[in-house]
Amino acid sequence: MQPTASLDQNVLAQIARVRPMLSEFLTDELLETIKVPEHVAEASLVIRRDDDSLATYRAYRSRHSTARGPAKGGIRFHPMVSREEAIALSMWMSFKTAVLDLPLGGGKGGIVVDPKSLSRRELERLSRAYVRAFRHDLGPALDVPAPDVNTNGEIMAWMTDEYETLAGQSAPGSFTGKPLSIGGSLGRDRATALGWFIALSRFYERIGETLVGKTAVVQGSGNAGLTMAHLLADAGVRVIGISDSREGIHLESWLDIGTVSKIKAERRRISEYSGVLTTTNDELLEIRADILVPAAVENQIRADNADKIRAGLMVELANGPTTPEADMTLSKKGVTVIPDILANAGGVTVSYFEQVQNAMNFSWTRDEVESRLSDRMIASFDAVYDRSINAGSTLRDAALAIALERIIRAKIDRGFGW
Ligand code: GLU
């Protein structure tokens, strides 16, 4: 991962660029109110390691906006987590929930840690320590976390349990992405990948083309990345390149995603896939393909490599993979980008469905969840696509314009007090 100190600058640059597209009601003064988070909390978490030593980890939670509803967004465990990163990612969460028109705001948090360096029991202690430190900053009506980079359902279960223990009552709506046994939603596991796939399919439908026979390169093979690669392969797309944090692999014909998943599950190097060309992560991005999918972390497509991208379409599964400078280069080159705040919003959409089911104390079938997801994704894609056509703008600018207008409309309707 690149240093993320500039992530907050990236968000501000994106906002500045869409300024001319925004409705008249959105004054500069109002726009200023959205450039800062409502609240940022930070803490040092101390846990006892298995060898009885003490270890301290820095942790953050940024609540960017609750204008449209409780803040919503993941918690990540990663050595590069920082205050600036949490703030920027929480802003993108507010935009994402607004693009999907969910009654939610945006939040994000994380712990500065390499989770691979901890045992499972140490991870549980750390997860519970996070909730104890931020118990007053979280809750079903305030800020609701979910899985993100290097976190999963098991971690959400420990966190929910800690939260409920402190609250002295059941509160399943305090976290989403939980296991089914404690109020998780069917379909949440593959929601990010499926939502992404629905947006991609809709794009081809709108331009009168089909997915079948297209080629794709995927940077990243985490949960969402691999699930998405399976969906592509099932739809007749040839995945010709894929990577993990260490290296990439490329095959002119196509890669069998089942084999890649098996290698990853066995914790082997993906370059052990027989007959492939091994690449660096940067080289992988330069492979000629119809579809490029940044599915790893932020700041991967930058001023220094954007010009080398040879895909016609880029569909962002990661959050913030493209810098504003890179965006300009891609748009000049004629590369269409379906932006993160639209393309990867399936995860938070089904998180919202999980909250709704928790509030009703009732559960929907997988079909019900996925058909509602599909309706939301298609309606949101169409709104963004139509706005971009009308404004002659990129899809990212159109999505952001819609989001900013919705959030600021909510702020205006609430009023600003005395
Ligand atoms: N971490 C995911 C995201 O970045 C999901 C957030 C959520 O479900 O609240 O969108």
Side-chain angles (χ1 to χ4, degrees):
M1 190 186 315
Q2 301 297 313
T4 51
S6 62
L7 262 202
D8 46 344
Q9 297 305 319
N10 290 357
V11 192
L12 296 180
Q14 288 178 349
I15 295 177
R17 204 183 46 225
V18 297
R19 178 74 193 96
M21 281 175 71
L22 299 173
S23 286
E24 264 167 31
F25 76 83
L26 220 158
T27 61
D28 283 336
E29 195 180 49
L30 284 166
L31 204 54
E32 282 307 311
T33 67
I34 220 165
K35 294 184 184 169
V36 282
E38 284 175 11
H39 182 83
V40 185
E42 50 186 287
S44 291
L45 312 180
V46 182
I47 62 156
R48 200 169 280 288
R49 303 281 311 257
D50 292 341
D51 65 4
D52 225 24
S53 63
L54 291 177
T56 306
Y57 301 91
R58 205 72 194 136
Y60 304 92
R61 184 73 193 173
S62 167
R63 185 163 77 236
H64 169 252
S65 172
T66 53
R68 292 172 44 83
K72 188 82 196 77
I75 296 178
R76 57 175 61 184
F77 289 180
H78 197 282
M80 297 298 292
V81 162
S82 68
R83 191 174 191 275
E84 289 69 33
E85 185 197 53
I87 293 173
L89 291 167
S90 70
M91 291 175 83
W92 278 320
M93 284 310 303
S94 296
F95 303 155
K96 203 185 291 189
T97 53
V99 172
L100 269 286
D101 210 5
L102 307 175
L104 297 171
K108 197 75 144 208
I111 305 180
V112 187
V113 61
D114 175 7
K116 292 190 195 103
S117 68
L118 298 187
S119 70
R120 191 163 159 264
R121 298 182 64 152
E122 289 169 337
L123 271 181
E124 176 170 352
R125 277 178 227 133
L126 188 63
S127 305
R128 289 183 183 275
Y130 186 94
V131 175
R132 285 197 300 277
F134 297 115
R135 63 190 176 283
H136 298 301
D137 305 300
L138 303 174
L142 179 60
D143 185 355
V144 183
D148 200 83
V149 176
N150 292 332
T151 52
N152 55 26
E154 183 174 49
I155 291 174
M156 294 307 116
W158 294 328
M159 290 186 164
T160 306
D161 184 66
E162 190 69 23
Y163 184 86
E164 292 184 336
T165 302
L166 292 168
Q169 56 183 281
S170 174
S174 52
F175 290 82
T176 62
K178 302 181 294 293
L180 293 178
S181 60
I182 59 164
S185 175
L186 284 165
R188 178 64 185 84
D189 46 356
R190 63 170 203 161
T192 306
L194 183 62
W196 178 97
F197 181 77
I198 294 166
L200 171 76
S201 308
R202 186 64 175 173
F203 171 78
Y204 280 122
E205 215 174 300
R206 292 293 306 257
I207 65 167
E209 284 186 32
T210 158
L211 259 177
V212 181
K214 296 272 190 292
T215 54
V217 167
V218 181
Q219 188 208 34
S221 47
N223 260 349
L226 273 182
T227 310
M228 180 267 302
H230 277 287
L231 288 171
L232 286 177
D234 290 349
V237 174
R238 287 188 294 130
V239 179
I240 58 172
I242 195 161
S243 68
D244 59 18
S245 54
R246 217 192 251 176
E247 59 199 356
I249 54 173
H250 172 38
L251 203 58
E252 273 304 328
S253 49
W254 77 87
L255 292 158
D256 178 56
I257 303 303
T259 307
V260 177
S261 293
K262 191 163 172 285
I263 294 177
K264 291 289 305 170
E266 291 166 1
R267 297 180 172 273
R268 285 154 52 205
R269 294 185 71 132
I270 49 171
S271 54
E272 287 175 34
Y273 190 120
S274 73
V276 294
L277 193 77
T278 307
T279 70
T280 63
N281 250 298
D282 271 351
E283 286 161 358
L284 184 100
L285 295 172
E286 297 165 18
I287 296 171
R288 186 183 298 281
D290 297 307
I291 308 161
L292 175 63
V293 195
V297 287
E298 51 258 22
N299 282 344
Q300 296 299 299
I301 327 287
R302 305 171 301 267
D304 59 295
N305 64 1
D307 206 34
K308 299 187 197 132
I309 302 289
R310 293 193 291 163
L313 174 67
M314 199 167 94
V315 195
E316 298 177 335
L317 189 69
N319 287 308
T322 313
T323 68
E325 300 83 27
D327 251 333
M328 304 230 312
T329 309
L330 294 174
S331 133
K332 271 191 216 126
K333 276 168 64 95
V335 180
T336 302
V337 178
I338 307 183
D340 47 6
I341 55 171
L342 172 64
N344 74 21
V348 72
T349 302
V350 175
S351 274
Y352 164 62
F353 295 158
E354 184 174 330
Q355 288 182 290
V356 173
Q357 294 169 80
N358 290 154
M360 296 190 300
N361 205 6
F362 186 77
S363 53
W364 297 337
T365 63
R366 180 180 285 272
D367 280 353
E368 277 173 294
V369 169
E370 294 190 343
S371 94
R372 285 175 204 266
L373 170 65
S374 175
D375 291 348
R376 286 257 177 188
M377 288 302 303
I378 291 175
S380 307
F381 182 90
D382 284 350
V384 170
Y385 188 82
D386 292 339
R387 174 105 180 215
S388 87
I389 299 285
N390 290 337
S393 77
T394 63
L395 292 170
R396 189 187 314 280
D397 289 355
L400 191 55
I402 291 173
L404 291 172
E405 287 168 7
R406 286 188 178 152
I407 298 167
I408 296 205
R409 169 52 58 200
K411 287 188 176 230
I412 294 171
D413 288 348
R414 284 170 183 276
F416 290 92
W418 297 104

